[in-house]
Amino acid sequence: MKVQRHHSFLFLTIFLLAACSTTKHLPEGESLYTGAEVKLNAEGLTVKEKKVHRSDLQGLTRPRPNTRFLGIPIKLGFYNLFRKAKPNSLFGRLRNQLGEPPVLLSSVDLDANQKILQSHLENKGFFRANVEADTTVKKKKAKAIYTANAGHQYHINSVVFVTDSSTLTSTIQQSAEASLLKKDNPFDLDVIKGERTRIDAYLKERGFFYFSPEYLLVRTDTTVGGNLVDMQVVIKPETPDNAREQYRIGNVYIYSNYRINAEQQDTSVANAQLFEGYHLIDRRRIFKPKMFAQAMQFSPGDIYNRTDHNLTLSRLINLNEFRFVRNRFEPVTDSVGKLDAFYYLTPLPRKSLRGEVLATTKTNNLNGSQVNVGWSHRNIFGAGEHLGITAYAGTEVQFGGNFKGYNVYRSGAEANLLIPRFFVPLTDIRTRGGYVPRTNVRLGYDVLNRRKLYTLNSFRFGFGYTWKESIKKNHEFFPISINYVQPINVTKEYRDSILKYPYLENIIDSQFILGTTYQYNYSDMVTDVRKTNSFYFNGLVDLSGNLAGLFMGADVSKGKGQRIFGALFDQYIKLETDGRYYRRMGLNSTWANRVIVGYGLPYGNSRRIPYVKQFFSGGNNSIRAFRSRSLLGSYTFPDTTGFLPDQTGDLKLELNSEFRPHISGPLYGAVFIDAGNTWLKNVDTTRPGSHFTKDFMKQLAIGAGVGLRVDIQIFVIRLDVAFPLRKPWEDNPWVINQIRFNEKAWRRENVIYNLAIGYPF
């Protein structure tokens, strides 16, 4: 409590200093600059339009006054508190990092601001604008006052695209309907610049490779009267001939083994391979020509366009075969209107070996390590195929609690082949766009040994496709997804536990999943543009055993359970959606929200969806006030040892909201609230309260907490501290009135610490 009082006193001291002493330590004859006030006198504007223009003008004035929080210059107060500290001392560094020196009136250049504001008004169509500037000083606090007499704003009367007999002007005329210059709109120089850029982009899509926005001129005539202006869009007379020419693609040369640092390069095309119109210079025959035919987005003879130009570069980079990708276009000397294209590609190393050692610690006293070894081969079959083989071995050891000795050992391996195209036998599927589709072939084997309990081995195989519709939209479709799990050793102790808790048999069930999965992902946070509102959505459809059940007539409810390779094959439908909304608050703070809805329907050969496909709640990426896999309706496991309550369900609902304020540099805070639960589709008499009913909202578990994040772009280290607000298994679920942070016993029972990498959502 003494420490808390000390911090509160320090904050109060800074607050009072900021509020009362902002001018006390100013140099002699100086005043504190508190900002600018702009008065706008303009005719014919609405109240809203005036407000917008006034805000724009005020934002152009410099310098900015000292920043304020709740009207108080806290940073200035902090600076004044440690103003005498030496630069390299602790308090000196804190002053420089967290404080802010006073902004003085002497730093304000009224004449410069006056010219900037007047120029801005003229650019917005106030051609008769006049700006006057002055300052007022009161009790050593000063502000600048700018009076802008703008008059009437000019509007567009007509827009004419001047044409002649050339292809260039007729092409520009074709885009006139999409013009940004509209009759009756206000004159705006920024819009005129945007129109020039729009026309240039339109021409680049139609072969005018050497054109530039600088070759366009927008003539204005203000003699019309009535505060109106006529506009003419013309080509400057000095525009060079090559900018007026429409170009087609000539030859395409691809140097697939180009070495940037080599003293001499073999640029001869004498031994080039000609494939579908492309000249491949690859003396060592490292790559098959068909790989480039899939990547190139235009062919010889096509009219040049910027979209195909950029998409081709994107696809070549997306192959993940080349360290550097460069290109250039060169006019053909003996042919008018043709460009030869040259692509210079520097390959990445074909083979790589990677190893890593991981360490983990969990709140259930399990501490472990894992060793991963990976080998990869780029271009293993000559057409950009990637083969990756990984193997791992890990362990988790219990150092405390009542179940010491129930250690976990796991090992396994996986081979993954990526083919940079849609691989369909006897068919050649070509795609367009900036992203190369991939065919995925996966084969894996895992062994899980939970000492004193059971050992499971599993085989998995998948064949499917992944492709990007755009940078925001991603699809993943696996028509074949097989997972076979078989117990090879179950101890008597575990079998005895099953007699007491029958649901534990789910974990060691033989499983044969023969299914199909489709996943769609949308995210508008992958672009470089920082938006105020951002959205994320992921949808999953997982189907299993449909054809097998149809042909074999499986119906476990009637005693007609069917087996494949000695295991009951699973039949289910699983649907899951994950929606997120992010709102930017201020410069770097964020308000993040998430909703997860999951539904699994077992049928035919299954009473429940398989354990590996079931939903769970709790843990550091879910409802953080409850341990992982500890929530199932209003059911509570009677044993509190932390070992057996491994609860999973067929349905899931989760709601999360988190505010992430920026503290300083890479340090962010968090205040969050989580709610949700999982349920079973069918009644389980051994776990009362686990069944999904119409009263499911009364069974939501709710928790809250705070956290810290260190975000260094490469990764995020996160520490969250959470505690429950609502326990659905209690007679009185709301436990807010039971919170006792000062009691050790309450903290040990209720406070959950989550240390993790990455944001929870």
Side-chain angles (χ1 to χ4, degrees), residues 113-125:
N113 283 332
Q114 184 179 358
K115 292 176 181 178
I116 290 172
L117 298 188
Q118 185 158 328
S119 175
H120 176 78
L121 286 170
E122 291 173 355
N123 291 341
K124 294 298 180 182

Side-chain angles (χ1 to χ4, degrees), residues 252-262 265 267 292 296 298 309 312-314 316-317 322-329 340-347:
V252 179
Y253 300 96
I254 303 170
Y255 296 85
S256 62
N257 195 27
Y258 187 82
R259 304 293 176 180
I260 293 179
N261 298 323
Q265 295 286 351
T267 58
F292 299 102
M296 306 304 291
F298 50 65
H309 174 178
T312 299
L313 290 175
S314 178
L316 289 171
I317 294 170
F322 305 103
R323 187 187 304 275
F324 302 109
V325 175
R326 296 190 304 142
N327 83 310
R328 66 182 178 90
F329 292 87
D340 282 346
F342 299 83
Y343 289 86
Y344 303 96
L345 314 176
T346 302

Side-chain angles (χ1 to χ4, degrees), residues 375-553:
W375 176 85
S376 63
H377 191 302
R378 288 185 173 87
N379 195 41
I380 189 167
F381 299 123
E385 301 89 352
H386 287 200
L387 175 64
I389 299 176
T390 59
Y392 72 91
T395 180
E396 291 181 351
V397 180
Q398 186 112 1
F399 285 105
N402 298 330
F403 285 90
K404 186 175 181 181
Y406 290 86
N407 303 329
V408 179
Y409 301 92
R410 57 168 61 91
S411 60
E414 181 180 80
N416 196 358
L417 177 64
L418 299 178
I419 304 171
R421 57 190 171 276
F422 284 118
F423 178 76
V424 180
L426 305 178
T427 304
D428 185 17
I429 299 178
R430 299 291 180 92
T431 61
R432 295 189 62 79
Y435 301 93
V436 177
R438 283 181 166 80
T439 300
N440 300 288
V441 184
R442 301 172 183 168
L443 180 63
Y445 172 73
D446 302 280
V447 176
L448 173 66
N449 180 4
R450 191 180 287 270
R451 292 292 301 275
K452 299 183 180 180
L453 299 174
Y454 56 81
T455 301
L456 300 176
N457 66 347
S458 63
F459 302 86
R460 60 186 185 279
F461 172 79
F463 177 87
Y465 309 97
T466 58
W467 70 97
K468 277 182 174 290
E469 182 181 341
S470 67
I471 191 173
K472 297 181 180 180
K473 302 175 183 178
N474 188 67
H475 303 263
E476 182 180 284
F477 174 54
F478 273 76
I480 302 175
S481 180
I482 301 173
N483 198 337
Y484 178 75
V485 180
Q486 186 73 22
I488 55 177
N489 181 32
V490 181
T491 66
K492 183 178 183 302
E493 181 179 350
Y494 194 79
R495 293 191 184 279
D496 291 341
S497 299
I498 293 175
L499 296 176
K500 187 177 180 181
Y501 307 109
Y503 77 88
L504 293 175
E505 189 174 5
N506 302 356
I507 301 174
I508 61 167
D509 266 349
S510 296
Q511 300 169 20
F512 190 84
I513 302 172
L514 176 59
T516 299
T517 64
Y518 169 74
Q519 191 165 216
Y520 170 76
N521 183 273
Y522 171 87
S523 175
D524 60 3
M525 298 181 295
V526 293
T527 60
D528 293 333
V529 180
R530 295 195 63 190
K531 301 172 61 177
T532 300
N533 299 296
S534 299
F535 299 91
Y536 170 95
F537 174 81
N538 190 82
L540 171 69
V541 178
D542 187 351
L543 311 174
S544 178
N546 303 303
L547 292 177
L550 179 65
F551 288 116
M552 301 179 70

Side-chain angles (χ1 to χ4, degrees), residues 5 93 132 159 186 431-432 476 548 640 732 756:
R5 285 197 296 269
R93 290 194 294 269
E132 300 175 355
V159 181
T431 61
R432 295 189 62 79
E476 182 180 284
T640 59
N732 296 312

